Amino acid sequence: MARFFKGAGLVFLIAGTGLFLAELASSDKDFRVFLSVFTAGLLGLLLIAVGDLMNRVDALEDQLKISEDRRDDAPEIMQITCPNCGKKCDMDYPKCPHCGYGFKQ
C-alpha cells in the first residue's frame, strides 16, 4: 500500500511539474491554472510523505514484534501457595494479593 501512495504521489508531482512548465511557457497566465498546478504538486508531495510514513510504521511494528517474541521466551516467576487462602501468587510478592497475608522474608 505504501508503494501505491508513493507511486501516485510521484505521478501527481510529475504531472504538476509538467503543467507548471507548460503554464510558464504559455502566453496567458491564469491564477486558477497556477493554483491547480500548485495543488497537484502539493498533493504529490503529501502522498509521497504518507507512503514514507507507512514504511516507517511497518518497520517499527516489525521491531515491536521481535521484542514481543523475546518476551515470550523469558522465564516465568516461580509461584508459591499462600498458607492462609491457598491461592497461588508470584514468589516475589511481600504479601498475598488475594488475602493480604504477609510472607516471611
Side-chain angles (χ1 to χ4, degrees):
M1 188 62 131
R3 289 177 63 192
F4 169 76
F5 278 102
K6 284 185 172 184
L10 194 58
V11 167
F12 271 98
L13 195 59
I14 291 171
T17 304
L19 289 173
F20 178 73
L21 294 175
E23 177 66 19
L24 286 178
S26 72
S27 60
D28 56 331
K29 295 174 177 37
D30 188 14
F31 179 72
R32 287 178 288 165
V33 174
F34 176 75
L35 188 62
S36 63
V37 167
F38 177 76
T39 305
L42 192 61
L43 181 62
L45 289 175
L46 181 66
L47 289 173
I48 290 172
V50 166
D52 186 54
L53 184 63
M54 290 174 74
N55 282 339
R56 290 176 188 219
V57 167
D58 287 341
L60 288 173
E61 285 176 345
D62 290 342
Q63 288 177 356
L64 181 63
K65 186 174 186 281
I66 290 170
S67 66
E68 285 176 355
D69 291 342
R70 288 183 187 156
R71 190 179 328 145
D72 291 341
D73 296 340
E76 292 185 23
I77 297 175
M78 195 169 150
Q79 300 272 309
I80 58 171
T81 303
C82 176
N84 189 37
C85 67
K87 295 183 180 179
K88 292 195 178 252
C89 61
D90 289 346
M91 185 177 175
D92 60 347
Y93 286 165
K95 292 182 180 180
C96 176
H98 305 288
C99 68
Y101 178 81
F103 301 119
K104 292 183 181 177
Q105 297 293 331

